Amino acid sequence: MTVAVVLTPPVALLVFLLVAIGIDRVGQRIADERTGEGEFRTAYACGEDALGERLQPKYRLYHVGIGFTIVHVAVLLVATMPLSWRGLSLGIPLLSVVGLSLVALLEADRRPVTRR
């Protein structure tokens, strides 16, 4: 089998799928928090038991995750642009829009939202 065949998308997908299934099976065997049915015994809150009250999650760092997503997509787009004037004419407006969106994201997090 040559390297070119291994690097084709269907073969690579199967290889990664088999690796992921293997990791999942090993994780199921070594996890001590699972019962026989695959259910967790405790709530996922640092191993603490939930005391019968419903907890509301706090999304304090949500804007940071969205910012990282925007930056990573922009980097992927700019990295695949051609090194010419046409690529430059596409890249500069893209990066300016990304910069404006990050500024808007950070400013929206700074000011509290007031309801009328």
Side-chain angles (χ1 to χ4, degrees):
M1 196 182 315
T2 65
V3 177
V5 173
V6 175
L7 293 178
T8 59
V11 175
L13 175 70
L14 288 174
V15 169
F16 283 117
L17 189 62
L18 290 174
V19 169
I21 289 171
I23 290 172
D24 183 56
R25 296 292 182 234
V26 170
Q28 281 181 350
R29 293 216 182 263
I30 65 174
D32 60 339
E33 289 293 319
R34 290 200 177 190
T35 61
E37 297 85 35
E39 300 278 334
F40 287 99
R41 289 186 300 228
T42 59
Y44 186 72
C46 302
E48 300 173 1
D49 289 329
L51 301 175
E53 60 193 49
R54 187 176 176 109
L55 300 174
Q56 182 67 30
K58 296 179 180 163
Y59 301 104
R60 290 179 290 189
L61 295 177
Y62 183 74
H63 64 283
V64 175
I66 293 295
F68 273 113
T69 303
I70 291 171
V71 168
H72 282 102
V73 169
V75 166
L76 286 172
L77 287 173
V78 170
T80 58
M81 286 184 181
L83 294 174
S84 64
W85 286 107
R86 183 174 175 168
L88 187 65
S89 67
L90 292 172
I92 290 177
L94 173 73
L95 291 177
S96 62
V97 169
V98 167
L100 285 173
S101 66
L102 289 176
V103 168
L105 188 65
L106 292 175
E107 287 297 319
D109 183 52
R110 195 176 296 173
R111 293 186 210 135
V113 177
T114 57
R115 294 187 180 175
R116 295 179 190 196

